[in-house]
């Protein structure tokens, strides 16, 4: 199939309420032309509602939605020329594979021979050559997924929407399809909006991730920025694992338990003097300090007592109770040496966090006026 | 889950064929290890219930072949004269055609209406939808005799008594609830995302319904139509009130004949109706099963 001429999407102040509940609360979002953008959030966050607004199945109470320069908020779904893949594939069981894939072309009154040729080409694109006359119930989950995808792209929509399309597949197949979807996106180049609640999937596939919670856009960034510099405690906890420690500001410098912290330079979000800022500790960024380490001075240090350890195959995780009572995890790669050097339970250890990997995040949630988030997401932050 | 007992039955009947009945009684009847002996009371009860359900229906069959003037069981001599009598009496033929016409028209009125109502109530997000559903199935809950009286007085004003239109409308009201319930149940097992996806792929809502949704709920629609046919064809109470000579349905005529002159013609008619109904049900079963295999 040919490369598709993509369209940008402009979402402005889109609001949707169900009774007193805000499913979407003034969402502004620019999806760049040809970008793979993921809407990431827990269930009930509003991410699927936003996708349904894009597809035209949910009419927002207020706001503007443009595909390119065209306002589409009042346009019915069948005129939007948007490809869509649903979570459960929603293949038509009374039609065979070729009729499923050819369905959008048949609706557009395209000649039978043309349809046949384009269906073959679409089948080749999703690597299902020769499956045209199969019935839907004869397909495996992964094959159904590919048929749904072929059906959504065959009419060359300039925008493709996907609603948790891989969540019904088992882990291995899901990871394989993630890479394949990404490859297909690079080949065809349409603007893609992808909904998932799986943070690893979002990190793997996306150009940019829009984190959504309680109907609000919390953070829009590329995967590394989302992971390394979360905008608020919710993002820090939702994506990856983290423990957040309270930071005091003494003489304009961030300190932990009276000791000044060395903080990575450069990222705009690290406002080092914000009152109530939090220090983010991720398990894989922490190391056991020993004084032989050459650049020991570059590490922030935390003292604690070793609790239990969990062996996970490729990794092992050691749980440490810090002096102030916070429990943090340290993830180490399971190599013979590191396993042998692991500190025994009950022993006292010093953990190190390199200053380049030390990130402070604002203590309040990024979406203003939504402070009840802190209580449920900020587990590391004990009073 | 039945493979193990069946497999054992095959081996045991081969080996200890002499004591077959005894071993059958002491063999487990299900996965719970209850033996057939322990289940005997249940088999007997089930048989009784089936006899009770079926025998009153089947008893009219021998009665219809009676040679005597009166309904009697068992008949003392046999003949086909009551079948001849049915087919050659113009009143019976007229009534038969009225019934068939009314039932077919009722199906044509009710099936689209019930399909639209079921669809609308299913996709509606209004809280009132539940109450509308209850309102639509009230004809099933109100005693038919009350409906008949009400319809009679309303039709007197509307001049619809003893008309085909009146009969079809009254039967439609009676058939709608069943038809609506059956089609609603069919929609519940249908994945509405299919219609959504069809719309996103370029089909208008109506087209998506006709091309994607309707073919997949067709069995409940057909079942609903069959039920509507049976409701209308079976109905006697409303017909007694609102139809008269020339517009009498077959069931109404049978009822009157039973009251006025007890002759075996109605047994002959009943036998024909039983045959037709059984054939229709068997056909629906076979049709449904092959369709299930295909999909």
């Amino acid at each position: 199939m040919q490369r598709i001429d993509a369209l940008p999407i402009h979402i402005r102040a889109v609001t949707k309420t169900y009774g007193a509940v805000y499913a979407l609360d003034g969402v502004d979002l620019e999806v760049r032309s040809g970008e793979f953008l993921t809407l990431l959030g827990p269930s009930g966050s509003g991410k699927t509602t936003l996708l349904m607004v894009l597809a035209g199945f949910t009419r927002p109470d207020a706001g503007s939605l443009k595909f390119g320069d065209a306002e589409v908020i009042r346009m019915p779904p069948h005129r939007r020329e948007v490809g869509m893949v649903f979570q459960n594939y929603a293949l038509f069981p009374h039609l065979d594979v070729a009729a499923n894939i050819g369905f959008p072309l048949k609706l557009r009154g395209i000649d039978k021979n043309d349809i046949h040729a384009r269906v073959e080409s679409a089948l080749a694109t999703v690597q299902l050559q020769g499956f045209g006359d199969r019935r839907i119930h004869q397909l495996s989950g992964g094959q159904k997924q590919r048929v749904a995808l072929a059906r959504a792209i065959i009419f060359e929509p300039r925008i493709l929407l996907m609603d948790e399309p891989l969540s019904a597949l088992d882990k291995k197949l899901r990871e394989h399809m993630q890479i394949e979807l990404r490859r297909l996106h690079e080949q065809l180049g349409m603007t893609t909006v992808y909904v998932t609640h799986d943070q690893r999937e979002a990190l793997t596939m996306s150009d940019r991730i829009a984190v959504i919670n309680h109907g609000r856009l919390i953070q829009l960034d590329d995967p590394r920025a989302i992971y390394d510099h979360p905008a608020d405690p919710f993002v820090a906890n939702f994506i990856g694992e983290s423990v957040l420690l309270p930071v005091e500001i003494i003489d304009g410098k961030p300190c932990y338990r009276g000791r000044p912290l060395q903080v990575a330079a450069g990222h705009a979000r690290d406002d080092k003097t914000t009152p109530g800022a939090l220090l983010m500790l991720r398990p894989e960024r922490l190391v056991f300090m020993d004084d032989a380490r050459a650049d020991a001075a570059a590490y922030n240090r935390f003292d604690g007592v070793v609790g239990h350890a969990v062996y996970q195959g490729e990794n092992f995780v050691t749980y440490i109770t810090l002096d102030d009572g916070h429990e943090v995890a340290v993830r180490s790669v399971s190599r013979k040496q590191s396993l042998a050097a692991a500190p025994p339970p009950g022993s006292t250890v010093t953990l190190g966090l390199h200053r380049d990997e030390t990130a402070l995040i604002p203590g309040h949630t990024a979406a203003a006026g939504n402070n009840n988030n802190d209580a449920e997401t900020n587990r590391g932050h004990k009073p | 889950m039945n493979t193990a007992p069946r497999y054992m039955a095959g081996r045991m009947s081969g080996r200890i064929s002499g004591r077959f009945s005894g071993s059958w009684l002491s063999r487990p009847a299900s996965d719970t290890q209850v033996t057939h002996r322990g289940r005997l009371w249940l088999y007997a009860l089930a048989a009784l219930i089936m006899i009770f359900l079926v025998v009153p229906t089947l008893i009219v069959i021998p009665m219809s072949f009676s040679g005597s003037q009166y309904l009697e069981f068992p008949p003392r001599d046999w003949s086909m004269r009551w079948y001849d009598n049915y087919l050659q009496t113009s009143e019976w033929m007229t009534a038969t055609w009225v019934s068939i016409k009314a039932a077919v028209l009722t199906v044509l009125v009710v099936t689209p209406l019930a399909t639209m109502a079921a669809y609308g109530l299913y996709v509606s997000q209004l809280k009132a939808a539940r109450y509308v559903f209850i309102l639509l199935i009230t004809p099933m809950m109100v005693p038919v005799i009350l409906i008949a009286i009400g319809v009679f007085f309303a039709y007197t004003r509307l001049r619809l008594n003893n008309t085909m239109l009146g009969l079809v409308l009254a039967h439609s009201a009676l058939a709608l609830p069943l038809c609506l319930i059956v089609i609603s149940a069919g929609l519940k097992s249908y994945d509405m995302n299919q219609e959504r996806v069809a719309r996103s792929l370029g089909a208008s809502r109506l087209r998506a319904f006709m091309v994607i949704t309707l073919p997949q709920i067709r069995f409940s629609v057909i079942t609903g139509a069959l039920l509507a046919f049976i409701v209308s064809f079976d109905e006697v109470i409303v017909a007694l009130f609102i139809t008269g000579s020339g517009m009498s349905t077959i069931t109404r005529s049978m009822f009157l004949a039973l009251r006025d002159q007890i002759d075996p013609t109605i047994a002959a008619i009943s036998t024909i109706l039983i045959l037709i109904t059984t054939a229709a049900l068997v056909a629906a079963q076979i049709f449904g099963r092959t369709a299930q295999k295909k999909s």
Side-chain angles (χ1 to χ4, degrees):
Chain A
M1 285 179 68
Q2 296 283 308
R3 204 174 164 79
I4 289 162
D5 211 11
L7 268 183
I9 304 172
H10 310 285
I11 303 166
R12 284 264 174 285
V14 165
T15 297
K16 174 74 188 174
T17 56
Y18 291 106
V21 182
Y22 277 84
L24 293 173
D25 189 359
V27 173
D28 290 303
L29 182 59
E30 298 284 327
V31 187
R32 294 173 192 150
S33 184
E35 168 174 52
F36 194 115
L37 182 124
T38 297
L39 303 176
L40 175 66
S43 60
S45 59
K47 58 189 191 301
T48 300
T49 309
L50 184 56
L51 197 77
M52 290 299 148
V53 168
L54 294 180
F57 296 119
T58 299
R59 174 87 167 266
D61 306 332
S64 150
L65 173 64
K66 285 183 176 173
F67 293 166
D69 296 325
E71 175 67 52
V72 296
I73 202 115
R74 285 163 194 277
M75 192 183 273
H78 66 278
R79 299 234 185 84
R80 292 198 182 191
E81 297 285 317
V82 162
M84 176 124 195
V85 178
F86 280 89
Q87 184 173 6
N88 57 359
Y89 322 130
L91 298 177
F92 309 136
H94 61 302
L95 304 176
D96 65 12
V97 167
N100 263 277
I101 297 175
F103 183 76
L105 301 181
K106 199 177 162 198
L107 288 171
R108 285 164 177 75
I110 289 167
D111 176 72
K112 259 191 182 167
N113 294 325
D114 278 2
I115 292 182
H116 183 75
R118 284 173 68 178
V119 165
E120 288 303 312
S121 153
L123 279 170
T125 306
V126 296
Q127 301 175 348
L128 279 180
Q129 293 95 327
F131 276 71
D133 51 5
R134 297 279 179 100
R135 307 290 307 182
I136 299 305
H137 70 94
Q138 295 172 314
L139 303 179
S140 70
Q143 290 166 342
K144 284 181 185 167
Q145 181 57 64
R146 286 158 204 257
V147 172
L149 192 62
R151 184 179 63 177
I153 59 176
I154 194 168
F155 62 108
E156 297 177 2
R158 299 162 82 183
I159 293 168
L160 179 63
L161 308 176
M162 292 192 256
D163 184 12
E164 310 217 14
L166 305 181
S167 59
L169 304 178
D170 62 55
K171 186 166 176 282
K172 276 229 164 105
L173 188 56
R174 190 164 65 228
E175 282 166 4
H176 175 75
M177 285 301 292
Q178 285 170 2
I179 291 163
E180 204 162 303
L181 278 179
R182 195 53 229 204
R183 177 188 62 77
L184 199 68
H185 175 256
E186 260 139 48
Q187 183 190 337
L188 300 174
M190 71 272 277
T191 308
T192 301
V193 180
Y194 187 97
V195 163
T196 185
H197 65 269
D198 180 341
Q199 40 112 358
R200 181 178 291 274
E201 191 166 291
L203 293 169
T204 307
M205 301 179 75
S206 320
D207 291 324
R208 288 194 302 164
I209 297 172
V211 182
I212 295 190
N213 195 28
H214 294 294
R216 292 163 192 244
L217 178 63
I218 309 287
Q219 186 172 6
L220 174 62
D221 251 319
D222 62 73
R224 280 201 68 168
I226 291 264
Y227 191 81
D228 290 341
H229 302 282
D232 74 357
F234 168 76
V235 179
N237 281 304
F238 189 66
I239 296 163
E241 293 165 52
S242 66
V243 170
L244 304 175
L245 302 182
V247 171
E248 310 130 292
I249 308 296
I250 299 172
D251 299 334
K253 282 185 179 159
C255 298
Y256 175 65
R257 306 198 81 203
R259 270 188 278 172
L261 287 166
Q262 312 176 67
V263 176
H267 200 279
R269 193 164 286 117
D270 296 327
D271 182 357
K272 292 162 193 66
T273 55
T274 312
L278 299 165
L279 172 65
M280 179 174 71
L281 299 183
R282 296 228 188 251
E284 77 283 4
R285 303 273 160 95
L286 287 168
V287 295
F288 293 110
M289 291 301 288
D290 65 72
D291 294 326
R293 203 176 271 272
D295 54 348
Y299 284 82
N300 295 302
R301 301 164 84 99
F302 308 90
D303 299 323
V305 178
V306 177
H308 63 293
V310 177
Y311 180 73
Q312 293 179 331
E314 78 271 37
N315 295 320
F316 68 95
V317 179
T318 315
Y319 290 91
I320 316 279
T321 307
L322 297 183
D323 291 351
D324 60 354
H326 287 99
E327 188 179 63
V328 299
V330 181
R331 174 168 294 136
S332 322
V333 178
S334 311
R335 313 238 336 238
K336 207 170 181 181
Q337 275 179 325
S338 50
L339 280 167
S347 60
T348 322
V349 286
T350 301
L351 300 177
L353 179 65
H354 196 278
R355 65 181 170 216
D356 290 348
E357 297 181 326
T358 303
L360 295 183
I361 63 171
H364 58 83
T365 50
N370 225 344
N371 288 323
N372 56 351
N373 269 352
D374 293 302
E376 61 182 82
T377 56
N378 194 6
R379 276 165 304 214
H381 188 349
K382 288 182 190 164
Chain B
M1 75 183 189
N2 282 328
T3 48
R6 221 180 277 156
Y7 163 67
M8 286 174 58
R11 280 180 56 182
M12 291 179 83
S13 63
R15 243 193 257 165
I16 30 176
S17 50
R19 296 187 314 168
F20 178 73
S21 68
S23 63
W24 177 79
L25 280 173
S26 49
R27 230 176 289 142
S30 73
D31 291 347
T32 57
Q33 300 294 314
V34 179
T35 59
H36 285 290
R37 186 179 288 115
R39 280 278 170 85
L40 277 179
W41 66 274
L42 187 62
Y43 299 155
L45 180 65
L48 265 176
I49 291 173
M50 281 200 236
I51 288 167
F52 194 76
L53 286 174
V54 172
V55 166
T57 312
L58 295 184
I59 213 164
V60 300
I61 295 175
M63 282 162 84
S64 73
F65 292 102
S66 162
S68 109
Q69 279 289 340
Y70 303 100
L71 278 173
E72 57 181 17
F73 186 83
R76 272 168 290 185
D77 49 351
W78 305 89
S79 82
M80 291 289 286
R81 58 189 277 212
W82 304 112
Y83 287 89
D84 284 340
N85 187 44
Y86 166 62
L87 294 169
Q88 273 154 30
T89 311
S90 69
E91 283 83 18
W92 283 123
M93 287 294 102
T94 315
T96 305
W97 279 117
V98 167
S99 270
I100 290 173
K101 237 190 255 175
V104 168
L105 289 173
T106 300
V107 166
L108 294 180
V109 169
V110 163
T111 314
L113 281 180
T115 308
M116 287 192 278
Y119 179 85
L121 293 172
Y122 182 63
V123 299
S124 171
Q125 288 164 352
L126 293 177
K127 279 185 186 145
R130 260 185 50 210
Y131 301 104
V132 173
F133 183 83
I134 291 170
L135 193 75
L136 286 175
I137 61 169
T138 41
M140 211 166 76
M141 301 186 285
V142 178
V144 184
I145 185 96
L146 294 183
I147 294 177
I149 295 168
V151 167
F152 174 72
F153 281 110
Y155 278 9
T156 311
R157 287 278 178 86
L158 297 167
R159 297 173 191 282
L160 281 173
N161 278 325
N162 212 22
T163 62
M164 181 54 83
L165 177 63
L167 186 64
V168 168
L169 288 181
H171 281 181
S172 299
L174 291 178
L176 184 77
L178 264 181
C179 201
L180 177 66
I181 288 169
V182 168
I183 297 173
S184 295
L187 272 173
K188 272 185 192 126
S189 58
Y190 168 70
D191 171 21
M192 205 39 97
N193 273 345
Q194 286 185 36
E195 196 175 297
R196 285 214 188 93
V197 98
R199 287 162 68 197
S200 82
L201 296 173
S204 67
R205 196 161 190 178
L206 178 64
R207 182 131 187 221
F209 176 79
M210 298 304 281
V211 181
I212 300 301
T213 307
L214 194 55
Q216 291 182 66
I217 59 167
R218 64 187 184 276
F219 293 116
S220 36
V221 174
I222 290 170
T223 310
L226 267 173
L227 287 173
F229 186 92
I230 290 170
V231 166
S232 167
F233 205 79
D234 255 7
E235 204 285 322
V236 60
I237 301 171
V238 172
L240 275 171
F241 274 78
I242 66 167
T243 61
S245 58
M247 198 44 77
S248 177
T249 61
I250 183 119
T251 45
R252 179 181 180 276
S253 297
M254 283 165 78
F255 183 81
L256 294 180
L258 200 58
R259 194 186 61 186
D260 299 340
Q261 88 247 22
I262 304 178
D263 80 37
T265 310
I266 52 173
I269 300 171
S270 301
T271 305
I272 294 171
L273 293 185
I274 290 166
L275 280 178
I276 292 171
T277 320
T278 312
L281 281 175
V282 169
Q285 282 288 323
I286 293 169
F287 182 52
R289 212 172 287 165
T290 45
Q292 263 185 354
K293 264 184 211 158
K294 263 188 186 173
S295 69

